[in-house]
Amino acid sequence: MDNKAEVREFLMTRRARLTPDAAGITGGSNRRRVPGLRRSEVAALAGLSVEYYARIERGAIGGASASVLDALSRALQLDDTEHTHLLDLARAVDGVPTSGRPRRKAARPATQRISLQWALDSITDGIAFVRNQRQDLLATNELAKAFYAPLIGDGGRTPNLARFQFLDPSSREFYPDWDTFAEMCVAIMRAEAGRDPHDKGLQDLVGELSTRDETFRKLWGAHNVRTHGAGMKRFNHPVVGEVHLAYEALAITADPGSFLMIYTAEPGSPSAERIRLLGSWAAEHTNAQT
């Protein structure tokens, strides 16, 4: 990915979304040819010269100090994820991500993969799986295997959450809030691309989806970023129907770039009962195949 272009487009989209009123610029909304702040206004808010900020926005961000990047973040009202993304873009010119996560190294030893599967299998009341920064589904417990059956399919290719989201029509039924899921998926991938712009697998995936799906292409061009921490999601499973699940994303320190995702339902809720039924269905389905 072109680092200078990434910096330029990220800063331009952040500048365009911030109104003069929101930035505290009195009377700044008059005679605007384009929405958002002018470069001169961002420079003033950050305490930088217009010439220096213009160079940064053109992509010449290498060597920018932490204080300059912090000032830009405050001026553009970046949230924590966006601020981290700006730091990653700035340091990528030196090949050193700054988000606290080392680059992926060699594949996990077989013994570690086995122990990870044991950990997944020990989670029996929740949907647990491991995904990497490319949205590949690497490992699941039995409940997750049943839950993501529409995505996993016949198992011929490594299942990928992003490909399912944008290239499989059944995803629009599986995700009732499809637009929200799509924005979330792309924003997470954007943040991952900033952490390691040299990840060829992620670059290839972005290229594939950009070529094949217009919605993905538009969302990617918006340069929004986010992390996948915790929250609530709604699904429509083909076997048990609609479920509302809380999710937690836990970074796997032994495997940089991989996350343990756990989905659980509120105890005693209709969703909890449906997940229990899904577990029973999965067990029966497995027994029927053996």
Side-chain angles (χ1 to χ4, degrees):
M1 297 180 183
D2 185 342
N3 181 256
K4 286 188 175 182
E6 292 293 307
V7 172
R8 180 178 66 252
E9 292 168 15
F10 178 67
L11 290 176
M12 288 178 64
T13 55
R14 300 313 92 177
R15 177 164 62 85
R17 75 175 184 183
L18 187 59
T19 65
D21 290 342
I25 299 174
T26 305
S29 298
N30 299 328
R31 297 184 300 278
R32 294 267 162 175
R33 290 181 296 177
V34 294
L37 300 183
R38 302 182 178 99
R39 289 191 183 90
S40 60
E41 291 166 336
V42 174
L45 290 169
L48 306 175
S49 71
V50 177
E51 293 76 12
Y52 184 33
Y53 174 71
R55 288 201 304 272
I56 290 176
E57 192 178 276
R58 287 195 296 269
I61 200 171
S65 67
S67 60
V68 166
L69 298 175
D70 288 346
L72 278 179
S73 292
R74 289 192 297 270
L76 293 169
Q77 300 183 16
L78 304 186
D79 62 25
D80 290 344
T81 303
E82 292 170 326
H83 176 63
T84 298
H85 186 62
L86 180 62
L87 295 178
D88 286 336
L89 293 176
R91 299 301 180 252
V93 296
D94 300 320
V96 183
T98 61
S99 56
R101 194 181 77 201
R103 287 184 184 173
R104 175 175 295 276
K105 299 179 182 179
R108 290 168 62 97
T111 54
Q112 290 187 12
R113 293 198 298 272
I114 292 172
S115 65
L116 178 60
Q117 188 62 57
W118 289 347
L120 288 171
D121 291 340
S122 71
I123 302 172
T124 56
D125 293 330
I127 296 158
F129 62 95
V130 175
R131 69 154 178 86
N132 61 16
Q133 74 271 34
R134 301 164 196 153
Q135 302 292 310
D136 291 326
L137 210 61
L138 301 179
T140 67
N141 66 356
E142 286 302 313
L143 199 51
K145 188 182 297 182
F147 186 74
Y148 278 111
L151 184 155
I152 295 173
D154 59 9
R157 183 181 188 181
T158 301
N160 183 277
L161 293 160
R163 285 195 184 93
F164 176 69
Q165 174 81 49
F166 292 99
L167 303 182
D168 192 328
S170 66
S171 70
R172 291 185 177 271
E173 293 186 14
F174 190 70
Y175 301 133
D177 305 307
W178 191 90
D179 290 340
T180 299
F181 273 64
E183 291 173 3
M184 181 184 298
C185 179
V186 176
I188 291 170
M189 291 173 65
R190 259 290 179 198
E192 294 292 349
R195 290 188 183 100
D196 188 356
H198 307 291
D199 186 335
K200 187 177 184 303
L202 183 55
Q203 291 181 23
D204 291 344
L205 178 62
V206 170
E208 175 189 351
L209 296 178
S210 296
T211 301
R212 299 179 61 184
D213 187 82
E214 182 180 358
T215 300
F216 178 89
R217 187 163 59 250
K218 289 180 178 179
L219 290 174
W220 188 256
H223 286 262
N224 293 326
V225 292
R226 65 164 291 160
T227 54
H228 202 169
M232 294 291 297
K233 289 183 179 180
R234 185 167 63 112
F235 301 88
N236 183 30
H237 195 274
V239 174
V240 297
E242 185 171 302
V243 290
H244 297 245
L245 303 175
Y247 67 87
E248 295 282 347
L250 308 173
I252 301 176
T253 56
D255 193 5
S258 293
F259 293 84
L260 170 62
M261 304 293 302
I262 303 176
Y263 289 82
T264 53
E266 180 182 354
S269 67
S271 292
E273 175 62 19
R274 288 169 185 160
I275 292 299
R276 187 190 67 79
L277 291 174
L278 179 63
S280 299
W281 174 85
E284 294 173 2
H285 188 70
T286 299
N287 291 334
Q289 291 180 329
T290 57

